[in-house]
């Protein structure tokens, strides 16, 4: 059976990374002046790059040394699309997974969204926290008091709220994997992002069976869905999952 796994922030919670919408999650923590929905945008990156980069550095990069957990290792040889940007599936050894929202340990040149660009590593360890703003601007090649320049500045390889899925995020391959799947297993996701809705629409069209693994699962209007009220870790150690 060709099973496709689609994972969300709940999978990385066992590694000590807060879920986005949980009580202590990233989206519950605002910057001093902006909400997360305002911060994680291309508009903020262009108009206030210091605030944008500082927010990402503090909210995400502080977890860059957290390692993969048992679930990531179990998924290492699976057909996988993850919404997570922590890169832990790659660290666990999955060579072919799709990080559909990007990876914070990587960056790209700042580009018009329709362009295909090279993805390179981000040397977060070079950031000097004593000179945080200046250091972040230098790391991303942005001049002080100036907006990021196209094809000169760097941008975190992260899909932002006001951006859309492109081939830089392997969207066509992700959609093909959804169409080819005999079964889709959603693990630790709140179904609040476009990629899960896209997968559900394809499942509806093909009547693909789906499993939803979550201690507090979201109920969806789909008769061919099975709900398993448990964590991803409990699931992989149960008799429910495939070897």
């Amino acid at each position: 059976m060709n099973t496709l796994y689609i994972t969300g922030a709940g999978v990385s919670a066992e590694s000590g990374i807060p879920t986005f919408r949980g009580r202590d999650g990233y989206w519950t923590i605002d910057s001093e002046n902006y909400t997360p929905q305002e911060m994680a945008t291309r508009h903020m990156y262009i108009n206030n790059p210091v605030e944008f980069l500082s927010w990402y550095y503090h909210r995400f990069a502080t977890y860059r040394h957290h390692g993969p957990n048992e679930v990531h290792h179990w998924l290492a040889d699976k057909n996988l699309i993850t919404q997570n940007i922590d890169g832990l599936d790659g660290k666990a050894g999955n060579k072919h997974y799709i990080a559909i929202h990007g990876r914070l340990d990587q960056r790209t040149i700042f580009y018009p969204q329709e362009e295909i660009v090279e993805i390179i590593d981000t040397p977060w360890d070079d950031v000097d926290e004593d000179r945080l703003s200046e250091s972040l601007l230098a790391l991303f090649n942005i001049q002080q008091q100036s907006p990021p320049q196209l094809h000169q500045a760097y941008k975190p390889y992260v899909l932002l709220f006001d951006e859309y899925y492109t081939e830089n995020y392997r969207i066509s391959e992700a959609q093909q994997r959804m169409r080819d799947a005999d079964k889709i297993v959603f693990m630790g996701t709140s179904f609040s992002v476009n990629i899960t809705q896209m997968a559900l629409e394809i499942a509806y069209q093909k009547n693909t069976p789906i499993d939803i693994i979550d201690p507090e699962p979201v109920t969806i209007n789909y008769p061919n869905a099975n709900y398993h009220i448990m964590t991803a870790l409990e699931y992989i150690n149960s008799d429910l999952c495939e070897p």
Side-chain angles (χ1 to χ4, degrees), residues 52-73:
F52 175 92
L53 293 172
S54 296
W55 188 81
Y56 266 95
Y57 180 75
H58 287 301
R59 296 303 183 273
F60 299 107
T62 51
Y63 294 98
R64 66 190 181 276
H65 296 309
H66 286 228
N69 60 53
E70 186 177 340
V71 180
H72 295 116
H73 287 292

Side-chain angles (χ1 to χ4, degrees), residues 30-48:
D30 293 354
S31 78
E32 186 174 339
N33 301 306
Y34 302 98
T35 67
Q37 289 78 6
E38 293 171 316
M39 285 300 307
T41 62
R42 193 176 180 95
H43 179 269
M44 182 62 69
Y45 168 72
I46 293 170
N47 290 282
N48 197 337

Side-chain angles (χ1 to χ4, degrees), residues 59-181:
R59 296 303 183 273
F60 299 107
T62 51
Y63 294 98
R64 66 190 181 276
H65 296 309
H66 286 228
N69 60 53
E70 186 177 340
V71 180
H72 295 116
H73 287 292
W74 184 85
L75 289 165
D77 62 351
K78 304 297 190 293
N79 182 14
L80 173 64
I81 298 172
T82 186
Q83 303 164 50
N84 299 331
I85 64 172
D86 50 43
L88 294 182
D89 291 291
K91 291 181 179 179
N94 195 314
K95 304 297 185 185
H96 305 292
Y97 83 103
I98 296 176
I100 198 67
H101 293 153
R103 286 177 50 166
L104 195 66
D105 59 352
Q106 297 177 329
R107 58 182 173 163
T108 67
I109 204 75
F110 179 40
Y111 61 96
Q113 289 190 71
E114 63 274 10
E115 290 185 11
I116 305 299
V117 294
E118 182 183 10
I119 300 164
I120 61 175
D121 291 338
T122 299
W124 288 111
D125 289 332
D126 292 349
V127 172
D128 181 354
E129 292 193 352
D130 293 330
R131 302 166 43 253
L132 184 61
S133 296
E134 181 182 347
S135 183
L136 286 169
L137 289 176
L139 181 65
F140 287 88
N141 199 30
I142 300 171
Q143 299 298 315
Q144 294 194 45
Q145 308 301 321
S146 298
Q149 299 298 304
L150 281 172
H151 303 122
Q152 295 181 23
Y154 289 101
K155 172 187 168 292
Y157 176 50
V158 176
L159 186 71
L160 302 172
F161 279 121
D162 54 353
E163 295 182 326
Y164 50 85
Y165 295 111
T166 68
E167 295 313 311
N168 286 309
Y169 297 93
R170 299 166 64 188
I171 185 59
S172 294
E173 182 182 351
Q175 291 172 317
Q176 189 60 52
R177 291 194 190 192
M178 295 171 192
R179 287 190 288 267
D180 291 342

